[in-house]
C-alpha cells in the first residue's frame, strides 16, 4: 500500500494522460463490438464536440492543480481534517479517504448542480447529449469544471487527504467516467450485482434519461451506496427503453452546436417539463421502472 500511495504522490503526467486517452480509445472500440444502442449518428463529429470539452477540462484541471496540491499539503502538514482525528493504518486512510472524496467531491456537488438553478445551467450541457457514449463522460462546460474542482479542494481540506490519495481517487474517477458513460451492453446480471457497491453503466444511464424524476437520480460517481443511503437511487428494468438528453434542449441545433453549448449557462432559464403526480409516484415507488422512449 505504501508503494501505491508513493507512486500516486508523484504520479507522472504521462500516466494520467494515458489513462484518459487510453480509456476513451478502449471503450470506443468496445462500443463498436458490444453496443447497447445502435445510434444513427456521426460518431466522429459527436466525439469532436465532446473531446473539445474534455480538452477544456484537462486545461482547467492542470491550471488548478497547484491549488489542489496546496490544499493536500496544507491539510497534511497542519494535521487538519477527518483523517487526522484518529490514528488509522494507511490502508484505512486510503479506503476512508476515497469514500469521502467520492461523497463530498463528487456525489454532493453533483446533487447540488441539480438543485441550484445557476449551477444546473452549466451542468445541463453534460445532460444535453442525446447519444451518450464514452466521450460524454467529460462533456462538462468549463464553468462547471471550475466549481467541481473547487468542491474537490473543499473535500480535501475537510478530509485532510494527502495528495497520493487524491491522485489515486482522481485516476479511479476517470476510469469510472469512461465505464459508466460507454455505450456498452453489459450483461444485466453482472451490472445488477456490481451496482450494490459501484456505479455501473446501466445504473448511470438512468441518470441520463431526458425527463424528471429519473434525471434527478443516481448521482454517484464511483460508489453506488450514496444514492441508496440518501434515497436518490432509481432503477429501470431495461436501459434500452431510456431516451437520452434533456427535455428543455432536445433540438439538434441546441445540443450539438459548440457555440450554443458554451452559451447555454448565460441564456434564460428553461423550466423542465414535469411529469404528472401519479407518474412520479409510479416511478418512485415501483421496485423497477420501465420508461418508454420517444
Amino acid at each position: 500500500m505504501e508503494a501505491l500511495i508513493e507512486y500516486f504522490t508523484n504520479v507522472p503526467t504521462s500516466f494520467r494522460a494515458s489513462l484518459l486517452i487510453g480509456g476513451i480509445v478502449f471503450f470506443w472500440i468496445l462500443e463498436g463490438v458490444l453496443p447497447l444502442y445502435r445510434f444513427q449518428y456521426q460518431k466522429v463529429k459527436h466525439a469532436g464536440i465532446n473531446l473539445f470539452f474534455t480538452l477544456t477540462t484537462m486545461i482547467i484541471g492542470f491550471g488548478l492543480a497547484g491549488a489542489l496540491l496546496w490544499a493536500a499539503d496544507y491539510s497534511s502538514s497542519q494535521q487538519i481534517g477527518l483523517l487526522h482525528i484518529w490514528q488509522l493504518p494507511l490502508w484505512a486512510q486510503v479506503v476512508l479517504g476515497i469514500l469521502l472524496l467520492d461523497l463530498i467531491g463528487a456525489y454532493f456537488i453533483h446533487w447540488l448542480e441539480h438543485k441550484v438553478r445557476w449551477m444546473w445551467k452549466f451542468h445541463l450541457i453534460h445532460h444535453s447529449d442525446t447519444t451518450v457514449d464514452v466521450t460524454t463522460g467529460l462533456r462538462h462546460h468549463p464553468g462547471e469544471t471550475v466549481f467541481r474542482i473547487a468542491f474537490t479542494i473543499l473535500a480535501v481540506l475537510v478530509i485532510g487527504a494527502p495528495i497520493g490519495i487524491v491522485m489515486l481517487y482522481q485516476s479511479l474517477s476517470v476510469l469510472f467516467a469512461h465505464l459508466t458513460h460507454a455505450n456498452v451492453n453489459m450483461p444485466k446480471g453482472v451490472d445488477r450485482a456490481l451496482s450494490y457497491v459501484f456505479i455501473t453503466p446501466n445504473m448511470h444511464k438512468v441518470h441520463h434519461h431526458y425527463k424528471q424524476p429519473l434525471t434527478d437520480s443516481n448521482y454517484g460517481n464511483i460508489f453506488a451506496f450514496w444514492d441508496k443511503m440518501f434515497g436518490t437511487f432509481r432503477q429501470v428494468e431495461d436501459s434500452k427503453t431510456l431516451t437520452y438528453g434533456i427535455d428543455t434542449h432536445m433540438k439538434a441545433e441546441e445540443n450539438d452546436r459548440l457555440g450554443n453549448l458554451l452559451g447555454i449557462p448565460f441564456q434564460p432559464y428553461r423550466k423542465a417539463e414535469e411529469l404528472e403526480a401519479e407518474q412520479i409516484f409510479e416511478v418512485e415507488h415501483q421496485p423497477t421502472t420501465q420508461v418508454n422512449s420517444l
Side-chain angles (χ1 to χ4, degrees), residues 39-50:
F39 292 127
Q40 301 298 316
Y41 73 130
Q42 295 177 296
K43 190 167 184 176
V44 174
K45 177 187 175 184
H46 172 261
I49 293 172
N50 289 350

Side-chain angles (χ1 to χ4, degrees), residues 250-265:
M250 293 298 286
K251 295 179 180 179
E253 59 267 25
E254 294 187 317
N255 60 46
D256 72 350
R257 300 292 187 275
L258 186 57
N260 188 69
L261 290 170
L262 288 169
I264 283 176

Side-chain angles (χ1 to χ4, degrees), residues 94-114:
V94 172
V95 172
L96 185 59
I98 288 175
L99 286 171
L100 292 176
L101 282 168
D102 198 55
L103 173 62
I104 302 171
Y107 176 89
F108 178 64
I109 178 58
H110 194 179
W111 173 84
L112 203 62
E113 287 171 340
H114 282 249

Side-chain angles (χ1 to χ4, degrees), residues 16-17 20-21 53-63 138 145:
R16 297 174 64 188
L20 174 65
I21 299 169
F53 287 111
T54 300
L55 180 61
T56 61
T57 297
M58 290 175 61
I59 292 171
I60 294 170
F62 284 126
L138 294 176
T145 301

Side-chain angles (χ1 to χ4, degrees), residues 68-69 71-76 80-84 93 97-98 101 155-166:
L68 188 63
L69 178 61
D73 287 347
Y74 178 79
S75 61
S76 295
I80 62 172
L82 298 175
L83 291 182
H84 300 289
Q93 292 181 42
I98 288 175
L101 282 168
V156 169
L157 291 172
V158 170
I159 299 163
I163 195 64
I165 294 178
V166 175

Side-chain angles (χ1 to χ4, degrees), residues 146-246:
V146 170
F147 53 75
R148 278 196 172 234
I149 294 175
F151 267 79
T152 300
I153 293 171
L154 174 64
V156 169
L157 291 172
V158 170
I159 299 163
I163 195 64
I165 294 178
V166 175
M167 290 296 102
L168 173 58
Y169 173 77
Q170 290 203 326
S171 298
L172 291 172
S173 182
V174 169
L175 285 176
F176 270 82
H178 293 334
L179 171 66
T180 56
H181 291 90
N183 181 37
V184 174
N185 191 10
M186 179 178 284
K188 185 183 297 185
V190 175
D191 190 283
R192 192 67 58 87
L194 290 174
S195 69
Y196 285 103
V197 178
F198 299 108
I199 301 297
T200 62
N202 288 346
M203 181 179 175
H204 190 70
K205 297 299 192 300
V206 175
H207 181 75
H208 278 274
H209 184 59
Y210 79 123
K211 279 185 179 292
Q212 295 174 326
L214 293 184
T215 303
D216 298 331
S217 69
N218 297 3
Y219 298 112
N221 183 41
I222 293 178
F223 297 107
F225 35 72
W226 304 130
D227 284 294
K228 296 175 182 179
M229 185 181 299
F230 296 111
T232 54
F233 173 72
R234 298 293 181 269
Q235 179 177 288
V236 300
E237 187 62 33
D238 183 3
S239 294
K240 292 183 180 179
T241 62
L242 296 169
T243 298
Y244 296 146
I246 195 69

